[in-house]
Protein backbone atom coordinates (compact mmCIF):
# COMPACT_ATOMS: atom_id res chain seq x y z
CA UNK A 1 0.00 0.00 0.00
CA UNK A 2 1.33 3.41 -0.94
CA UNK A 3 -0.49 6.44 0.40
CA UNK A 4 0.22 10.04 1.31
CA UNK A 5 -1.29 12.51 3.73
CA UNK A 6 -0.80 16.20 4.46
CA UNK A 7 -1.61 17.51 7.91
CA UNK A 8 -1.45 20.80 9.75
CA UNK A 9 -0.92 19.73 13.33
CA UNK A 10 -3.79 20.44 15.76
CA UNK A 11 -3.24 21.66 19.34
CA UNK A 12 -3.88 18.16 20.65
CA UNK A 13 -1.47 15.76 18.94
CA UNK A 14 -2.45 12.62 20.80
CA UNK A 15 -4.73 11.15 18.07
CA UNK A 16 -2.14 11.82 15.37
CA UNK A 17 0.71 10.39 17.43
CA UNK A 18 -1.30 7.26 18.18
CA UNK A 19 -2.12 6.80 14.51
CA UNK A 20 1.51 7.26 13.45
CA UNK A 21 2.68 4.74 16.02
CA UNK A 22 0.26 2.05 14.84
CA UNK A 23 -0.14 2.66 11.11
CA UNK A 24 2.08 0.39 9.03
CA UNK A 25 0.54 1.14 5.62
CA UNK A 26 1.21 4.88 5.27
CA UNK A 27 4.28 5.41 3.09
CA UNK A 28 4.46 9.18 2.57
CA UNK A 29 3.60 11.95 5.04
CA UNK A 30 3.81 15.75 4.99
CA UNK A 31 3.45 17.67 8.27
CA UNK A 32 3.19 21.44 8.35
CA UNK A 33 3.58 23.51 11.51
CA UNK A 34 1.93 26.82 10.63
CA UNK A 35 2.36 28.72 13.88
CA UNK A 36 2.18 28.44 17.63
CA UNK A 37 4.28 26.60 20.18
CA UNK A 38 4.69 22.90 20.87
CA UNK A 39 4.71 21.85 24.49
CA UNK A 40 7.20 19.30 25.78
CA UNK A 41 4.65 16.48 25.95
CA UNK A 42 3.42 17.18 22.40
CA UNK A 43 6.90 17.19 20.94
CA UNK A 44 7.88 14.06 22.85
CA UNK A 45 4.75 12.31 21.64
CA UNK A 46 5.49 13.16 18.02
CA UNK A 47 9.10 12.06 18.42
CA UNK A 48 8.08 8.71 19.90
CA UNK A 49 5.49 8.16 17.17
CA UNK A 50 7.94 8.79 14.34
CA UNK A 51 10.49 6.59 16.03
CA UNK A 52 8.05 3.69 16.37
CA UNK A 53 6.45 3.97 12.94
CA UNK A 54 7.49 1.07 10.77
CA UNK A 55 5.90 2.00 7.46
CA UNK A 56 6.91 5.51 6.38
CA UNK A 57 9.49 5.71 3.63
CA UNK A 58 9.05 9.41 2.82
CA UNK A 59 8.62 12.23 5.35
CA UNK A 60 8.46 16.00 4.88
CA UNK A 61 8.20 18.29 7.90
CA UNK A 62 7.85 22.06 7.64
CA UNK A 63 8.72 23.61 10.99
CA UNK A 64 8.31 27.09 9.53
CA UNK A 65 7.16 29.33 12.38
CA UNK A 66 6.68 26.90 15.22
CA UNK A 67 8.42 27.47 18.54
CA UNK A 68 9.47 24.86 21.08
CA UNK A 69 8.80 25.11 24.78
CA UNK A 70 11.66 22.93 26.03
CA UNK A 71 15.17 23.78 24.83
CA UNK A 72 16.82 20.44 25.53
CA UNK A 73 14.00 18.56 23.81
CA UNK A 74 14.05 21.04 20.93
CA UNK A 75 17.69 20.18 20.33
CA UNK A 76 17.20 16.41 20.40
CA UNK A 77 13.71 15.58 19.18
CA UNK A 78 14.73 15.03 15.55
CA UNK A 79 17.86 13.17 16.58
CA UNK A 80 15.84 10.78 18.72
CA UNK A 81 13.33 10.02 15.99
CA UNK A 82 15.90 9.64 13.23
CA UNK A 83 18.11 7.35 15.29
CA UNK A 84 15.30 4.89 15.92
CA UNK A 85 13.49 4.97 12.57
CA UNK A 86 14.95 2.52 10.04
CA UNK A 87 12.31 2.64 7.28
CA UNK A 88 12.65 6.24 6.04
CA UNK A 89 14.37 6.62 2.68
CA UNK A 90 13.43 10.22 1.82
CA UNK A 91 13.48 13.10 4.31
CA UNK A 92 12.65 16.77 3.72
CA UNK A 93 13.01 19.19 6.65
CA UNK A 94 12.40 22.95 6.62
CA UNK A 95 13.33 25.11 9.62
CA UNK A 96 13.04 28.71 10.73
CA UNK A 97 16.51 28.97 12.23
CA UNK A 98 15.58 31.82 14.57
CA UNK A 99 13.36 29.35 16.44
CA UNK A 100 15.77 26.40 16.64
CA UNK A 101 19.42 27.55 16.67
CA UNK A 102 22.80 26.01 15.91
CA UNK A 103 22.66 23.33 18.60
CA UNK A 104 19.58 21.83 16.97
CA UNK A 105 21.37 21.78 13.61
CA UNK A 106 24.33 19.96 15.20
CA UNK A 107 22.06 17.35 16.85
CA UNK A 108 20.17 16.84 13.58
CA UNK A 109 23.34 16.48 11.50
CA UNK A 110 24.88 14.02 13.97
CA UNK A 111 21.72 11.88 13.88
CA UNK A 112 21.61 11.93 10.08
CA UNK A 113 25.23 10.85 10.00
CA UNK A 114 24.30 7.75 11.99
CA UNK A 115 21.07 6.98 10.14
CA UNK A 116 21.48 3.94 7.88
CA UNK A 117 18.22 4.14 5.95
CA UNK A 118 17.82 7.59 4.40
CA UNK A 119 19.14 7.88 0.85
CA UNK A 120 17.53 11.18 -0.20
CA UNK A 121 17.82 14.24 2.04
CA UNK A 122 16.76 17.87 1.68
CA UNK A 123 17.39 20.48 4.39
CA UNK A 124 16.25 24.10 4.30
CA UNK A 125 17.26 26.66 6.93
CA UNK A 126 15.68 30.12 6.74
CA UNK A 127 16.66 33.27 8.66
CA UNK A 128 19.87 31.56 9.60
CA UNK A 129 23.49 32.22 10.54
CA UNK A 130 25.12 28.84 10.85
CA UNK A 131 28.15 28.92 13.14
CA UNK A 132 31.30 26.85 12.62
CA UNK A 133 30.01 24.04 14.83
CA UNK A 134 26.86 23.64 12.72
CA UNK A 135 28.88 23.83 9.49
CA UNK A 136 31.30 21.21 10.83
CA UNK A 137 28.40 18.92 11.80
CA UNK A 138 26.80 19.19 8.34
CA UNK A 139 30.14 18.48 6.68
CA UNK A 140 30.75 15.51 8.98
CA UNK A 141 27.28 14.16 8.14
CA UNK A 142 28.07 14.24 4.42
CA UNK A 143 31.41 12.53 4.97
CA UNK A 144 30.30 9.67 7.21
CA UNK A 145 26.88 8.85 5.73
CA UNK A 146 27.70 6.78 2.67
CA UNK A 147 24.09 5.81 1.98
CA UNK A 148 23.02 9.26 0.80
CA UNK A 149 22.64 9.34 -2.97
CA UNK A 150 20.70 12.61 -3.22
CA UNK A 151 21.38 15.74 -1.14
CA UNK A 152 19.75 19.17 -1.21
CA UNK A 153 20.78 22.12 0.95
CA UNK A 154 18.93 25.44 0.79
CA UNK A 155 21.05 28.00 2.61
CA UNK A 156 19.89 30.93 0.50
CA UNK A 157 18.87 33.05 3.49
CA UNK A 158 22.03 32.27 5.43
CA UNK A 159 25.12 34.31 6.14
CA UNK A 160 28.00 31.84 6.03
CA UNK A 161 31.37 33.05 7.24
CA UNK A 162 34.05 32.87 4.57
CA UNK A 163 36.28 30.83 6.86
CA UNK A 164 33.61 28.12 7.09
CA UNK A 165 32.55 27.85 3.47
CA UNK A 166 35.42 25.74 2.20
CA UNK A 167 34.77 23.28 5.02
CA UNK A 168 31.15 22.98 3.89
CA UNK A 169 32.15 21.61 0.48
CA UNK A 170 35.24 19.68 1.59
CA UNK A 171 33.33 16.40 1.37
CA UNK A 172 32.70 16.68 -2.38
CA UNK A 173 36.08 15.57 -3.80
CA UNK A 174 36.12 12.33 -1.80
CA UNK A 175 32.40 11.48 -1.64
CA UNK A 176 31.56 8.26 -3.48
CA UNK A 177 27.84 7.87 -2.78
CA UNK A 178 26.12 11.08 -3.93
CA UNK A 179 24.84 11.05 -7.49
CA UNK A 180 22.55 14.09 -7.18
CA UNK A 181 23.34 17.42 -5.51
CA UNK A 182 21.27 20.59 -5.15
CA UNK A 183 22.74 23.71 -3.52
CA UNK A 184 21.14 27.12 -3.04
CA UNK A 185 23.56 29.65 -1.57
CA UNK A 186 24.14 33.34 -0.99
CA UNK A 187 27.71 34.62 -1.06
CA UNK A 188 28.87 37.16 1.50
CA UNK A 189 32.25 38.38 0.20
CA UNK A 190 34.95 39.74 2.48
CA UNK A 191 35.36 43.44 1.79
CA UNK A 192 38.75 44.12 0.19
CA UNK A 193 40.25 40.81 1.32
CA UNK A 194 40.70 37.45 -0.34
CA UNK A 195 38.85 34.64 1.44
CA UNK A 196 41.65 32.24 0.74
CA UNK A 197 44.48 34.61 1.59
CA UNK A 198 42.73 35.28 4.89
CA UNK A 199 42.65 31.54 5.52
CA UNK A 200 46.21 31.03 4.35
CA UNK A 201 44.97 28.41 1.87
CA UNK A 202 46.59 29.92 -1.22
CA UNK A 203 49.16 32.57 -1.94
CA UNK A 204 47.49 34.12 -4.94
CA UNK A 205 44.63 36.59 -4.56
CA UNK A 206 42.95 35.03 -7.61
CA UNK A 207 40.97 32.49 -5.56
CA UNK A 208 38.75 34.87 -3.66
CA UNK A 209 35.12 33.85 -4.19
CA UNK A 210 32.58 31.14 -3.50
CA UNK A 211 32.39 30.10 -7.15
CA UNK A 212 36.10 29.28 -7.16
CA UNK A 213 35.68 26.97 -4.17
CA UNK A 214 32.65 25.27 -5.67
CA UNK A 215 34.24 24.85 -9.06
CA UNK A 216 37.34 23.18 -7.64
CA UNK A 217 35.32 20.92 -5.31
CA UNK A 218 32.79 19.89 -7.97
CA UNK A 219 35.48 19.43 -10.58
CA UNK A 220 37.28 16.96 -8.32
CA UNK A 221 34.16 14.87 -7.67
CA UNK A 222 33.88 11.71 -9.79
CA UNK A 223 30.51 10.37 -8.69
CA UNK A 224 27.90 13.10 -9.22
CA UNK A 225 25.59 12.69 -12.18
CA UNK A 226 23.09 15.48 -11.51
CA UNK A 227 23.76 19.01 -10.26
CA UNK A 228 21.48 21.95 -9.50
CA UNK A 229 23.18 25.07 -8.24
CA UNK A 230 21.96 28.58 -7.44
CA UNK A 231 24.41 31.14 -6.11
CA UNK A 232 23.51 34.75 -5.40
CA UNK A 233 26.07 37.49 -4.88
CA UNK A 234 28.04 39.99 -6.91
CA UNK A 235 30.22 37.97 -9.27
CA UNK A 236 32.22 39.28 -12.20
CA UNK A 237 32.17 37.76 -15.66
CA UNK A 238 35.70 36.57 -15.09
CA UNK A 239 34.72 34.76 -11.88
CA UNK A 240 31.87 33.00 -13.65
CA UNK A 241 34.17 31.88 -16.46
CA UNK A 242 36.71 30.59 -13.95
CA UNK A 243 33.95 28.57 -12.28
CA UNK A 244 32.82 27.07 -15.58
CA UNK A 245 36.42 26.19 -16.46
CA UNK A 246 36.93 24.42 -13.11
CA UNK A 247 33.62 22.58 -13.39
CA UNK A 248 34.51 21.39 -16.89
CA UNK A 249 37.05 18.98 -15.41
CA UNK A 250 34.16 16.87 -14.11
CA UNK A 251 33.69 14.24 -16.80
CA UNK A 252 30.82 12.42 -15.07
CA UNK A 253 27.96 14.93 -14.84
CA UNK A 254 25.02 14.03 -17.07
CA UNK A 255 22.66 16.79 -15.99
CA UNK A 256 23.46 20.27 -14.73
CA UNK A 257 21.46 23.41 -14.11
CA UNK A 258 23.46 26.36 -12.78
CA UNK A 259 22.16 29.84 -12.02
CA UNK A 260 24.52 32.58 -10.85
CA UNK A 261 23.23 35.95 -9.67
CA UNK A 262 19.90 35.20 -11.34
CA UNK A 263 21.44 34.32 -14.72
CA UNK A 264 21.22 30.70 -15.94
CA UNK A 265 24.32 29.30 -17.65
CA UNK A 266 24.63 27.15 -20.74
CA UNK A 267 26.88 24.24 -19.81
CA UNK A 268 25.95 21.91 -22.68
CA UNK A 269 29.21 22.47 -24.60
CA UNK A 270 31.25 21.42 -21.58
CA UNK A 271 29.73 17.98 -21.35
CA UNK A 272 29.50 16.83 -24.95
CA UNK A 273 31.66 13.86 -24.00
CA UNK A 274 29.08 12.72 -21.46
CA UNK A 275 26.72 10.62 -23.56
CA UNK A 276 24.12 9.78 -20.92
CA UNK A 277 21.46 12.21 -19.69
CA UNK A 278 20.71 15.68 -20.98
CA UNK A 279 21.67 19.17 -19.89
CA UNK A 280 19.42 22.14 -19.45
CA UNK A 281 20.17 24.51 -22.30
CA UNK A 282 20.70 28.07 -21.15
CA UNK A 283 22.12 31.32 -22.48
CA UNK A 284 25.88 31.85 -22.30
CA UNK A 285 27.09 34.02 -19.39
Amino acid sequence: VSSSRAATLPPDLEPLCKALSQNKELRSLYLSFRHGCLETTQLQGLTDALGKNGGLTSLAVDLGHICFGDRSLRENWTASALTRNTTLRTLNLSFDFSLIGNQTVVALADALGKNTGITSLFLSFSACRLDRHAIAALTRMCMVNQRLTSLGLDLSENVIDASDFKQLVDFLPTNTSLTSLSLTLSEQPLAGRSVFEALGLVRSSKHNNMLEVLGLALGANHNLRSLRLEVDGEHTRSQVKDFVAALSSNAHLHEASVEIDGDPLDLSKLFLHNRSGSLTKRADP
Side-chain angles (χ1 to χ4, degrees), residues 208-284:
N208 61 356
N209 61 88
M210 181 181 288
L211 290 181
E212 184 82 14
V213 184
L214 283 172
L216 293 173
L218 291 169
N221 182 282
H222 301 296
N223 204 60
L224 284 176
R225 299 296 182 267
S226 176
L227 171 68
R228 190 191 71 82
L229 176 65
E230 293 183 21
V231 182
D232 287 328
E234 298 179 0
H235 302 96
T236 66
R237 186 180 182 87
S238 176
Q239 290 172 342
V240 175
K241 287 186 175 181
D242 286 344
F243 166 77
V244 174
L247 184 62
S248 66
S249 62
N250 189 313
H252 303 276
L253 281 174
H254 296 162
E255 182 181 13
S257 176
V258 178
E259 186 175 292
I260 299 174
D261 302 339
D263 295 324
L265 308 183
D266 181 4
L267 301 176
S268 57
K269 295 179 181 179
L270 298 178
F271 302 107
L272 290 178
H273 54 287
N274 293 347
R275 300 303 180 185
S276 301
S278 59
L279 293 173
T280 305
K281 294 184 178 181
R282 305 292 191 179
D284 287 325

Side-chain angles (χ1 to χ4, degrees), residues 105 109 123 125 130-143 151-156 158-173 175 178 181-186 199 210 213-214 217-218 229:
V105 176
L123 299 176
F125 302 102
L130 295 175
D131 63 18
R132 62 185 55 193
H133 300 293
I135 292 289
L138 289 173
T139 304
R140 186 167 58 250
M141 173 197 76
C142 296
M143 287 181 170
L151 174 65
L153 291 176
D154 184 351
L155 305 176
S156 57
N158 289 253
V159 177
I160 300 177
D161 290 338
S163 60
D164 295 323
F165 180 70
K166 184 178 182 298
Q167 181 183 19
L168 181 62
V169 295
D170 264 351
F171 73 94
L172 286 173
N175 183 277
L178 283 180
L181 176 65
S182 175
L183 293 176
T184 305
L185 306 163
S186 294
L199 295 175
M210 181 181 288
V213 184
L214 283 172
L218 291 169
L229 176 65

Side-chain angles (χ1 to χ4, degrees), residues 86-135:
T86 59
T87 61
L88 279 179
R89 296 296 178 264
T90 300
L91 180 64
N92 185 322
L93 296 177
S94 298
F95 296 93
D96 184 331
F97 181 83
S98 63
L99 299 175
I100 60 169
N102 280 292
Q103 289 178 310
T104 302
V105 176
V106 171
L108 171 64
D110 287 345
L112 288 169
K114 299 173 184 177
N115 185 282
T116 59
I118 295 172
T119 59
S120 179
L121 174 66
F122 179 82
L123 299 176
S124 176
F125 302 102
S126 64
C128 183
R129 185 182 179 90
L130 295 175
D131 63 18
R132 62 185 55 193
H133 300 293
I135 292 289

Side-chain angles (χ1 to χ4, degrees), residues 32-34 61-66 94-99 126:
S32 176
F33 294 72
R34 301 293 183 183
V61 182
D62 183 355
L63 295 174
H65 300 290
I66 204 73
S94 298
F95 296 93
D96 184 331
F97 181 83
S98 63
L99 299 175
S126 64

